[in-house]
Amino acid sequence: MTAQDGPGREQVLDWVERVATFVSQEWGLAPITGRVLGWLMACDPPEQTAGDIAAAIGASRASLTTNLQLLTSIKLIRRLRKPGQRNVYYQIEDDAWSKVIRQKLAAFAAFDELAAEGLRLGWTDEAQTGRIRSARSAVAALAEVLDPPL
């Protein structure tokens, strides 16, 4: 962090650690993945080498490399090179969070289709169909909140 004003490095690293905890608990990813995401959201300059990231978050290069590959493969971060330099830099994608949201929505839509398929199995027990309908209702309510009718 090179910013003159704003939070101190320790405050930023504390926040990065909270991002790591969230990513681990809510998304089931390794804490280091969350640390990388948190750091790339907060760092200045916005593009960092693997060495910069490793030093900032206290990660081993081997562990970091695996997580950078994961985040690059799911297109939350991107690799780039600066003209005249041999280093590879990493930067969070401008639309990273809209990608996350679209992926989650697509997963809910796919689950809704699976639940609809479950209802077509010919259940005779209303309790069983009620639980499946409840899942579909929850997905429908989410869809309505995110895309209300005009």
Side-chain angles (χ1 to χ4, degrees):
M1 297 294 303
T2 61
Q4 306 286 323
D5 298 320
R9 184 174 178 83
E10 289 305 313
Q11 288 176 299
V12 171
L13 291 174
D14 182 56
W15 178 78
V16 165
E17 195 58 35
R18 289 195 311 273
V19 171
T21 299
F22 177 87
V23 166
S24 178
Q25 291 176 348
E26 297 297 323
W27 299 343
L29 298 173
I32 188 173
T33 308
R35 288 184 192 106
V36 172
L37 284 172
W39 180 252
L40 289 175
M41 285 191 293
C43 63
D44 183 34
E47 59 281 333
Q48 304 271 301
T49 66
D52 295 335
I53 299 167
I57 66 172
S60 73
R61 291 291 293 264
S63 175
L64 185 68
T65 299
T66 300
N67 284 276
L68 289 171
Q69 288 172 342
L70 168 68
L71 291 168
T72 302
S73 72
I74 59 176
K75 301 192 184 322
L76 291 182
I77 66 172
R78 64 183 164 105
R79 293 170 44 109
L80 60 118
R81 292 188 188 267
K82 294 181 178 181
Q85 294 189 17
R86 292 173 28 149
N87 287 333
V88 173
Y89 292 85
Y90 296 88
Q91 182 175 2
I92 196 157
E93 288 283 1
D94 293 338
D95 64 346
W97 303 110
S98 63
K99 285 179 183 175
V100 168
I101 291 167
R102 283 193 308 269
Q103 289 170 351
K104 295 292 182 190
L105 291 175
F108 278 122
F111 184 78
D112 186 53
E113 287 297 319
L114 187 59
E117 181 183 314
L119 287 175
R120 292 189 295 268
L121 293 177
W123 303 95
T124 58
D125 184 338
E126 184 56 38
Q128 290 170 315
T129 60
R131 293 190 300 265
I132 297 171
R133 280 187 176 73
S134 175
R136 293 204 72 209
S137 293
V139 172
L142 177 63
E144 188 170 321
V145 167
L146 295 173
D147 190 19
L150 297 176

